Amino acid sequence: MSTFFLAFGFFLLVVVSMSVGYLVQKKSISGSCGGLGSIGIEKACDCPEPCDRKKARQEREQARQKKLEEWQQNKII
């Protein structure tokens, strides 16, 4: 049980020291680089034509939606 208290106290000390450091620096919390939006890309894949993997994924999704619609139509209840 003492190990638990020692570990809890250590993590509490780390969190308190990080919060004091944040308060002293008075910086706002932000990401490390700002993400893709900072370089002008609105989406992860900014290609005009999707790649083969994305096309295959879209075809699988369309087939899945078609099967779900068919299932909804053939449902008894």
Side-chain angles (χ1 to χ4, degrees):
M1 192 66 169
S2 64
T3 305
F4 171 76
F5 287 124
L6 285 173
F8 181 75
F10 174 74
F11 284 111
L12 187 63
L13 180 66
V14 169
V15 169
V16 168
S17 62
M18 286 176 21
S19 63
V20 168
Y22 169 75
L23 290 173
V24 169
Q25 290 181 354
K26 297 184 182 184
K27 288 185 177 180
S28 61
I29 297 175
S30 63
S32 60
C33 65
L36 293 175
S38 67
I39 57 173
I41 298 176
E42 284 81 28
K43 56 183 180 175
C45 179
D46 205 24
C47 304
E49 181 69 26
C51 60
D52 293 335
R53 289 187 340 180
K54 186 166 184 168
K55 286 180 184 177
R57 188 172 52 240
Q58 288 173 341
E59 289 173 4
R60 283 194 310 266
E61 183 61 30
Q62 287 175 352
R64 182 178 179 276
Q65 288 298 324
K66 185 178 178 183
K67 286 182 182 181
L68 283 174
E69 289 171 6
E70 184 180 319
W71 180 77
Q72 287 291 334
Q73 291 173 354
N74 295 332
K75 213 166 58 163
I76 294 175
I77 296 177

Short mmCIF file of all heavy atoms in Angstrom, two decimals, residues 15-16 39 41 49 62 68:
data_model
loop_
_atom_site.label_atom_id
_atom_site.label_comp_id
_atom_site.label_asym_id
_atom_site.label_seq_id
_atom_site.Cartn_x
_atom_site.Cartn_y
_atom_site.Cartn_z
N VAL A 15 2.46 16.61 -11.73
CA VAL A 15 1.35 17.41 -12.27
C VAL A 15 1.36 18.82 -11.70
O VAL A 15 1.17 19.80 -12.41
CB VAL A 15 0.00 16.70 -12.00
CG1 VAL A 15 -1.17 17.61 -12.31
CG2 VAL A 15 -0.10 15.42 -12.80
N VAL A 16 1.60 18.94 -10.41
CA VAL A 16 1.65 20.26 -9.78
C VAL A 16 2.81 21.08 -10.34
O VAL A 16 2.65 22.27 -10.63
CB VAL A 16 1.73 20.13 -8.24
CG1 VAL A 16 2.08 21.44 -7.59
CG2 VAL A 16 0.43 19.58 -7.69
N ILE A 39 -0.72 24.97 -42.82
CA ILE A 39 -0.03 25.05 -44.11
C ILE A 39 -1.02 25.10 -45.27
O ILE A 39 -0.63 24.97 -46.42
CB ILE A 39 0.95 23.88 -44.30
CG1 ILE A 39 0.26 22.52 -44.18
CG2 ILE A 39 2.10 23.99 -43.34
CD1 ILE A 39 1.16 21.34 -44.52
N ILE A 41 -3.86 23.13 -45.88
CA ILE A 41 -4.53 21.91 -46.32
C ILE A 41 -5.77 21.70 -45.45
O ILE A 41 -5.67 21.61 -44.23
CB ILE A 41 -3.58 20.70 -46.22
CG1 ILE A 41 -2.37 20.90 -47.12
CG2 ILE A 41 -4.30 19.42 -46.58
CD1 ILE A 41 -1.34 19.81 -47.03
N GLU A 49 -7.51 13.79 -57.45
CA GLU A 49 -8.03 12.46 -57.77
C GLU A 49 -7.62 11.51 -56.64
O GLU A 49 -6.44 11.42 -56.30
CB GLU A 49 -7.43 11.98 -59.10
CG GLU A 49 -7.90 10.64 -59.55
CD GLU A 49 -9.36 10.60 -59.97
OE1 GLU A 49 -9.91 11.65 -60.38
OE2 GLU A 49 -9.96 9.53 -59.89
N GLN A 62 -19.66 1.75 -50.59
CA GLN A 62 -20.86 1.79 -51.42
C GLN A 62 -21.53 0.42 -51.48
O GLN A 62 -22.76 0.31 -51.40
CB GLN A 62 -20.53 2.27 -52.83
CG GLN A 62 -20.23 3.74 -52.90
CD GLN A 62 -19.78 4.16 -54.29
OE1 GLN A 62 -19.55 3.34 -55.16
NE2 GLN A 62 -19.64 5.47 -54.47
N LEU A 68 -26.91 -2.92 -47.04
CA LEU A 68 -27.75 -2.46 -45.93
C LEU A 68 -29.12 -2.01 -46.43
O LEU A 68 -30.15 -2.31 -45.80
CB LEU A 68 -27.07 -1.32 -45.17
CG LEU A 68 -25.93 -1.72 -44.24
CD1 LEU A 68 -25.26 -0.48 -43.67
CD2 LEU A 68 -26.43 -2.61 -43.12
#
